[in-house]
Amino acid sequence: MRRSLRLRGDAALMLVLSATLGLLLYAQRDGGAPTTSAPRTPGKAARRPSPVPRAIQAPDAGAAPLAYEGDTPAPPTPTGPFDFGRYLSAKDQRHFPLLINQPHKCRGDGAPGGRPDLLIAVKSVAADFERRQAVRQTWGAEGRVQGALVRRVFLLGVPRVAGMDKADTEEEGMRAHWRALLRAESRAYEDILLWAFDDTFFNLTLKEIHFLAWASAFCPDVRFVFKGDADVFVHVGNLLEFLAPRDPTEDLLAGDVIVQARPIRARDSKYYIPEAVYGLPVYPAYAGGGGFVLSGATLHRLAGACAQVELFPIDDVFLGMCLQRLQLTPEPHPAFRTFGISRPSAAPHLRTFDPCFYRELVLVHGLSAADIWLMWGLLHGPRGPACSHPRPAAAGPFRWRP
C-alpha cells in the first residue's frame, strides 16, 4: 500500500511539474538556452573496445588542422552573433552563488565504505525536465550498479527570459517561477544544482568551473566522475568495466579526444573566436563535451587548475586548456561516440540506431528523450538484444542487411 501511494505521489508530482513547465515554456517560447556540446548476454563478458585513437586524431602529415566547428556535434544553440565586447568586460566574473545545493549527495548509502564509486553530473537547463526524467529512470539511476555506488546531479544556471528588459519586473517574476519549479523538482529528486549565472551556451564554462569546485568540496572522496550532456546515452555497466582496473588516486580523463582543432575565424559561426581572444593556430587537445570520465585525483587537480586559467567561451576547449596547464594528456577511448554512430559509406542501409551497436559502447551523443527510453528498453528488456545469436551463412555474395 505504501509503495502504491508513493508511486501515485510521484506520478502526480510529474504531472504538476510537466504542466507548470508547459505554461512557462509557452510564456517563454522564443527563449531558452540549450546545452552544448547493455546488458550482456548472461554468462558472457562484454567485449571492451581497445583504446585506439579515432582516425580524426591522427591527421596525415601536411593535412590542414581540423576545424572546431567540424569536430563538434552541432547542438541546438542560438545562431545569433556572440557579443565579445560584453564577454570581455565580464570575463573575470567567475564566482556566483549556489541557489540550490545537494550537500549530502556524496555521503554514501550507509554501507561500510559507502563513498560513491561514480558521480554522474549532467549539464541541463530548466526547460529540459523531460530529458532529466529520461536520465533519472534509465542510465542515470542512482543506487548500486554491478556493486558500484552511483550518484547523480544535474547542473543548471538561471534561465534567461527572452524579449524582456533586464530591469523589467515581469522578467523577475518569470525567473522566480522557474526557481520555484526547480526547487520543487529538487525536493522530489534531490539532484538539482542551480547557480546564479545566466544559463547560456557561452556560460557553460562557468558551469564547468562551478561544478569542479562543488564536487571538490562536497564529494572529496568520490572515486570517479562522469560528466556529460543530457542528450547522451551511457552504458554505465561498460563504463564501470573500463574503470574497474583504474586507480582513482592516479590521473585519468578519458573520452572522445580531439587534437589539432583550429579556432573558427568566420564571424557568422556560433563558434567564432577572434584572434584577440585566442591568437594561437590550434587548440590544445580536449575531450568532447558530450561526455567524459575523470578520476577523483584529476577532479581535485583540475578544479585548482581551472581556477587559475582565464575563462574561455567554449567549455570543452577551456577544459583542454586546464589539462594543458597540468601537463595532462586526455586519454582517447573509441567507445565514447560524441559524434553519434556514423553510417558507413559502404553500408547506406545499415541501421545505426540498433542495440547491437549500443551494447558495445560507453556513450552515444545526440539522442532525444524518446530515443534514450527506447534504447534502454531494447538493451534492458527481459530477453535483451538478439545480437550474438549465430546465423547460418547466407549463400551468394555478401550484402548488408537493411
Side-chain angles (χ1 to χ4, degrees), residues 129-140 369-370 372-373:
F129 177 72
E130 182 183 11
R131 286 191 188 275
R132 290 194 292 277
Q133 281 297 89
V135 172
R136 286 179 180 123
Q137 299 183 33
T138 58
W139 63 266
I372 293 173
W373 280 107

Side-chain angles (χ1 to χ4, degrees), residues 100-106 153 186 190-193 214 218:
I100 299 179
N101 192 10
Q102 307 299 333
H104 308 302
K105 176 58 65 174
C106 291
V153 288
S186 175
E190 299 181 339
D191 59 4
I192 298 293
L193 295 176
W214 178 89
F218 292 99

Side-chain angles (χ1 to χ4, degrees), residues 304-328:
C306 289
Q308 301 171 18
V309 174
E310 186 173 348
L311 294 181
F312 189 75
I314 302 175
D315 62 323
D316 48 7
V317 174
F318 170 76
L319 201 63
M321 296 173 178
C322 300
L323 292 173
Q324 187 179 52
R325 185 179 185 88
L326 293 174
Q327 297 183 341
L328 177 62

Side-chain angles (χ1 to χ4, degrees), residues 364-385:
V364 180
H365 192 209
L367 276 71
S368 67
D371 288 339
I372 293 173
W373 280 107
L374 177 58
M375 185 53 65
W376 181 261
L378 291 172
L379 286 172
H380 294 79
R383 301 183 64 181

Side-chain angles (χ1 to χ4, degrees), residues 349 394-402:
H349 302 296
F398 173 80
R399 294 181 60 187
W400 286 99
R401 293 181 179 272

Side-chain angles (χ1 to χ4, degrees), residues 278-362:
Y278 187 84
L280 298 178
V282 296
Y283 289 132
Y286 61 91
F292 55 86
V293 65
L294 63 156
S295 67
T298 300
L299 167 72
H300 295 292
R301 295 188 65 207
L302 205 54
C306 289
Q308 301 171 18
V309 174
E310 186 173 348
L311 294 181
F312 189 75
I314 302 175
D315 62 323
D316 48 7
V317 174
F318 170 76
L319 201 63
M321 296 173 178
C322 300
L323 292 173
Q324 187 179 52
R325 185 179 185 88
L326 293 174
Q327 297 183 341
L328 177 62
T329 302
E331 179 179 321
H333 198 293
F336 288 76
R337 301 297 182 93
T338 57
F339 298 87
I341 302 175
S342 301
R343 188 188 306 272
S345 58
H349 302 296
L350 186 66
R351 293 175 297 179
T352 57
F353 189 75
D354 188 306
C356 299
F357 284 105
Y358 284 67
R359 72 169 190 165
E360 303 292 338
L361 300 174
V362 170

Side-chain angles (χ1 to χ4, degrees), residues 12-26:
L13 177 62
M14 284 186 61
L15 287 173
V16 171
L17 289 171
S18 299
T20 309
L21 177 63
L23 291 173
L24 287 168
L25 287 173
Y26 178 79

